[in-house]
């Protein structure tokens, strides 16, 4: 383990240019870790557009899926039971838990099919 650390320290020292141990204020220079790894972490972060696309849009799609299932189940319940005295809001709130279960089931099925497709593609690539 100490050999690895020595290599990393020597590698970082080889990349840095020789300086005196004083900064512009006259005090001792403080070595920063950012200089040693050579990565600009501010440019390595994802952009706001990609974060919006990756986080918000899938959630909106899931909410749209749940809403579609809720409307469909409410319509089926209205046709099947013909509740004349039940309001639309009550019927939608009754159908929300089954709509959530159906949406999660569809997502689980999609992930299962995607994994099966990737496993088959990985098996086809092996000699």
């Amino acid at each position: 383990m100490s050999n690895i650390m020595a290599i990393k320290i020597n590698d970082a020292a080889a990349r840095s240019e020789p300086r005196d141990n004083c900064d512009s204020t006259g005090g001792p220079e403080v070595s920063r870790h950012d200089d040693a790894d050579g990565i600009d972490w501010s440019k390595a972060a994802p952009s706001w557009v990609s974060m919006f696309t990756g986080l918000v849009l899938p959630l909106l799609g899931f909410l749209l899926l749940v809403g579609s299932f809720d409307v469909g189940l409410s319509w089926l319940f209205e046709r099947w039971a013909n509740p004349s005295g039940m309001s639309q809001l009550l019927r939608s709130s009754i159908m929300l838990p089954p709509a959530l279960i159906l949406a999660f089931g569809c997502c689980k099925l999609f992930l299962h099919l995607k994994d099966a497709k990737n496993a088959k593609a990985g098996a086809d690539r092996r000699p």
Side-chain angles (χ1 to χ4, degrees), residues 16-61:
S16 65
E17 56 191 45
R19 297 184 224 167
D20 57 350
N21 278 344
C22 294
D23 61 0
S24 62
T25 60
E29 180 183 356
V30 178
S31 176
R32 293 187 52 202
H33 182 66
D34 294 342
D35 294 337
D37 63 4
I39 298 173
D40 186 9
W41 290 107
S42 63
K43 292 183 181 175
S47 66
W48 286 104
V49 174
S50 65
M51 286 192 283
F52 177 79
T53 305
L55 296 173
V56 175
L57 290 181
L59 290 175
L60 288 176

Side-chain angles (χ1 to χ4, degrees), residues 60-106:
L60 288 176
F62 183 74
L63 289 176
L64 181 65
L65 183 66
V66 170
S68 301
F69 282 148
D70 190 30
V71 168
L73 288 173
S74 296
W75 181 79
L76 283 175
F77 183 71
E78 181 182 7
R79 297 291 178 234
W80 177 64
N82 199 9
S84 57
M86 187 180 289
S87 71
Q88 180 68 28
L89 183 62
L90 179 62
R91 190 171 40 242
S92 291
S93 63
I94 289 173
M95 291 297 140
L96 185 61
L100 281 170
I101 291 170
L102 277 172
F104 278 114
C106 286

